[in-house]
PDB file of all heavy atoms in Angstrom:
ATOM      1  N   GLY A 716     -10.222  35.984 -32.182  1.00 98.00           N
ATOM      2  CA  GLY A 716     -10.672  34.601 -32.105  1.00 98.00           C
ATOM      3  C   GLY A 716     -10.535  33.831 -33.365  1.00 98.00           C
ATOM      4  O   GLY A 716     -11.559  33.361 -33.887  1.00 98.00           O
ATOM      5  N   PRO A 717      -9.321  33.709 -33.893  1.00 98.00           N
ATOM      6  CA  PRO A 717      -9.158  33.117 -35.231  1.00 98.00           C
ATOM      7  C   PRO A 717      -9.275  31.617 -35.337  1.00 98.00           C
ATOM      8  O   PRO A 717      -9.083  31.077 -36.467  1.00 98.00           O
ATOM      9  CB  PRO A 717      -7.682  33.495 -35.577  1.00 98.00           C
ATOM     10  CG  PRO A 717      -7.243  34.444 -34.547  1.00 98.00           C
ATOM     11  CD  PRO A 717      -8.031  34.166 -33.331  1.00 98.00           C
ATOM     12  N   GLY A 718      -9.716  30.890 -34.268  1.00 97.00           N
ATOM     13  CA  GLY A 718      -9.919  29.474 -34.429  1.00 97.00           C
ATOM     14  C   GLY A 718      -8.681  28.758 -34.886  1.00 97.00           C
ATOM     15  O   GLY A 718      -7.632  28.803 -34.227  1.00 97.00           O
ATOM     16  N   ARG A 719      -8.763  28.004 -35.953  1.00 97.00           N
ATOM     17  CA  ARG A 719      -7.623  27.300 -36.509  1.00 97.00           C
ATOM     18  C   ARG A 719      -6.746  28.188 -37.404  1.00 97.00           C
ATOM     19  O   ARG A 719      -5.806  27.684 -38.010  1.00 97.00           O
ATOM     20  CB  ARG A 719      -8.059  26.142 -37.355  1.00 97.00           C
ATOM     21  CG  ARG A 719      -8.696  25.012 -36.587  1.00 97.00           C
ATOM     22  CD  ARG A 719      -9.090  23.971 -37.557  1.00 97.00           C
ATOM     23  NE  ARG A 719      -9.434  22.711 -36.888  1.00 97.00           N
ATOM     24  CZ  ARG A 719     -10.064  21.723 -37.468  1.00 97.00           C
ATOM     25  NH1 ARG A 719     -10.403  21.858 -38.766  1.00 97.00           N
ATOM     26  NH2 ARG A 719     -10.335  20.630 -36.854  1.00 97.00           N
ATOM     27  N   GLY A 720      -7.186  29.405 -37.649  1.00 98.00           N
ATOM     28  CA  GLY A 720      -6.372  30.319 -38.488  1.00 98.00           C
ATOM     29  C   GLY A 720      -6.754  30.110 -39.962  1.00 98.00           C
ATOM     30  O   GLY A 720      -6.091  30.719 -40.879  1.00 98.00           O
ATOM     31  N   THR A 721      -7.822  29.420 -40.211  1.00 98.00           N
ATOM     32  CA  THR A 721      -8.192  29.118 -41.603  1.00 98.00           C
ATOM     33  C   THR A 721      -8.679  30.371 -42.365  1.00 98.00           C
ATOM     34  O   THR A 721      -8.259  30.664 -43.495  1.00 98.00           O
ATOM     35  CB  THR A 721      -9.316  28.054 -41.643  1.00 98.00           C
ATOM     36  OG1 THR A 721      -8.927  26.972 -40.822  1.00 98.00           O
ATOM     37  CG2 THR A 721      -9.643  27.607 -43.027  1.00 98.00           C
ATOM     38  N   LEU A 722      -9.533  31.165 -41.709  1.00 98.00           N
ATOM     39  CA  LEU A 722     -10.038  32.391 -42.326  1.00 98.00           C
ATOM     40  C   LEU A 722      -8.868  33.348 -42.609  1.00 98.00           C
ATOM     41  O   LEU A 722      -8.723  33.881 -43.737  1.00 98.00           O
ATOM     42  CB  LEU A 722     -11.004  33.053 -41.370  1.00 98.00           C
ATOM     43  CG  LEU A 722     -11.910  34.182 -41.882  1.00 98.00           C
ATOM     44  CD1 LEU A 722     -13.017  34.475 -40.890  1.00 98.00           C
ATOM     45  CD2 LEU A 722     -11.173  35.451 -42.213  1.00 98.00           C
ATOM     46  N   ALA A 723      -7.949  33.502 -41.623  1.00 98.00           N
ATOM     47  CA  ALA A 723      -6.789  34.383 -41.817  1.00 98.00           C
ATOM     48  C   ALA A 723      -6.005  33.916 -43.017  1.00 98.00           C
ATOM     49  O   ALA A 723      -5.597  34.699 -43.872  1.00 98.00           O
ATOM     50  CB  ALA A 723      -5.955  34.422 -40.580  1.00 98.00           C
ATOM     51  N   ALA A 724      -5.690  32.609 -43.124  1.00 98.00           N
ATOM     52  CA  ALA A 724      -4.849  32.082 -44.185  1.00 98.00           C
ATOM     53  C   ALA A 724      -5.521  32.363 -45.550  1.00 98.00           C
ATOM     54  O   ALA A 724      -4.906  32.798 -46.473  1.00 98.00           O
ATOM     55  CB  ALA A 724      -4.629  30.611 -43.985  1.00 98.00           C
ATOM     56  N   ASP A 725      -6.796  32.048 -45.615  1.00 98.00           N
ATOM     57  CA  ASP A 725      -7.549  32.289 -46.886  1.00 98.00           C
ATOM     58  C   ASP A 725      -7.650  33.768 -47.276  1.00 98.00           C
ATOM     59  O   ASP A 725      -7.403  34.164 -48.393  1.00 98.00           O
ATOM     60  CB  ASP A 725      -8.968  31.663 -46.801  1.00 98.00           C
ATOM     61  CG  ASP A 725      -8.948  30.177 -46.741  1.00 98.00           C
ATOM     62  OD1 ASP A 725      -8.001  29.557 -47.148  1.00 98.00           O
ATOM     63  OD2 ASP A 725      -9.968  29.626 -46.210  1.00 98.00           O
ATOM     64  N   ALA A 726      -7.911  34.587 -46.268  1.00 98.00           N
ATOM     65  CA  ALA A 726      -8.019  36.063 -46.517  1.00 98.00           C
ATOM     66  C   ALA A 726      -6.667  36.614 -46.922  1.00 98.00           C
ATOM     67  O   ALA A 726      -6.572  37.366 -47.925  1.00 98.00           O
ATOM     68  CB  ALA A 726      -8.571  36.773 -45.308  1.00 98.00           C
ATOM     69  N   LEU A 727      -5.665  36.234 -46.203  1.00 98.00           N
ATOM     70  CA  LEU A 727      -4.294  36.792 -46.494  1.00 98.00           C
ATOM     71  C   LEU A 727      -3.798  36.361 -47.875  1.00 98.00           C
ATOM     72  O   LEU A 727      -3.139  37.141 -48.541  1.00 98.00           O
ATOM     73  CB  LEU A 727      -3.307  36.452 -45.370  1.00 98.00           C
ATOM     74  CG  LEU A 727      -3.637  37.212 -44.068  1.00 98.00           C
ATOM     75  CD1 LEU A 727      -2.969  36.529 -42.838  1.00 98.00           C
ATOM     76  CD2 LEU A 727      -3.230  38.665 -44.115  1.00 98.00           C
ATOM     77  N   ARG A 728      -4.147  35.144 -48.226  1.00 98.00           N
ATOM     78  CA  ARG A 728      -3.703  34.632 -49.566  1.00 98.00           C
ATOM     79  C   ARG A 728      -4.372  35.428 -50.676  1.00 98.00           C
ATOM     80  O   ARG A 728      -3.745  35.925 -51.586  1.00 98.00           O
ATOM     81  CB  ARG A 728      -4.041  33.144 -49.669  1.00 98.00           C
ATOM     82  CG  ARG A 728      -3.481  32.510 -50.952  1.00 98.00           C
ATOM     83  CD  ARG A 728      -3.941  31.028 -51.095  1.00 98.00           C
ATOM     84  NE  ARG A 728      -5.348  30.902 -51.120  1.00 98.00           N
ATOM     85  CZ  ARG A 728      -6.133  30.377 -50.139  1.00 98.00           C
ATOM     86  NH1 ARG A 728      -5.536  29.846 -49.069  1.00 98.00           N
ATOM     87  NH2 ARG A 728      -7.400  30.256 -50.222  1.00 98.00           N
ATOM     88  N   ALA A 729      -5.680  35.666 -50.492  1.00 98.00           N
ATOM     89  CA  ALA A 729      -6.404  36.513 -51.515  1.00 98.00           C
ATOM     90  C   ALA A 729      -5.911  37.959 -51.483  1.00 98.00           C
ATOM     91  O   ALA A 729      -5.796  38.509 -52.568  1.00 98.00           O
ATOM     92  CB  ALA A 729      -7.920  36.444 -51.222  1.00 98.00           C
ATOM     93  N   MET A 730      -5.584  38.451 -50.364  1.00 98.00           N
ATOM     94  CA  MET A 730      -5.130  39.822 -50.239  1.00 98.00           C
ATOM     95  C   MET A 730      -3.769  39.964 -50.911  1.00 98.00           C
ATOM     96  O   MET A 730      -3.527  40.990 -51.619  1.00 98.00           O
ATOM     97  CB  MET A 730      -5.029  40.272 -48.784  1.00 98.00           C
ATOM     98  CG  MET A 730      -6.419  40.444 -48.108  1.00 98.00           C
ATOM     99  SD  MET A 730      -6.379  40.445 -46.303  1.00 98.00           S
ATOM    100  CE  MET A 730      -5.729  42.044 -45.936  1.00 98.00           C
ATOM    101  N   ALA A 731      -2.869  39.008 -50.633  1.00 98.00           N
ATOM    102  CA  ALA A 731      -1.549  39.107 -51.228  1.00 98.00           C
ATOM    103  C   ALA A 731      -1.659  39.153 -52.759  1.00 98.00           C
ATOM    104  O   ALA A 731      -0.883  39.865 -53.423  1.00 98.00           O
ATOM    105  CB  ALA A 731      -0.667  37.937 -50.749  1.00 98.00           C
TER     106      ALA A 731
END
Side-chain angles (χ1 to χ4, degrees):
R719 288 180 169 168
T721 309
L722 195 167
D725 292 337
L727 289 163
R728 187 183 59 248
M730 290 162 77

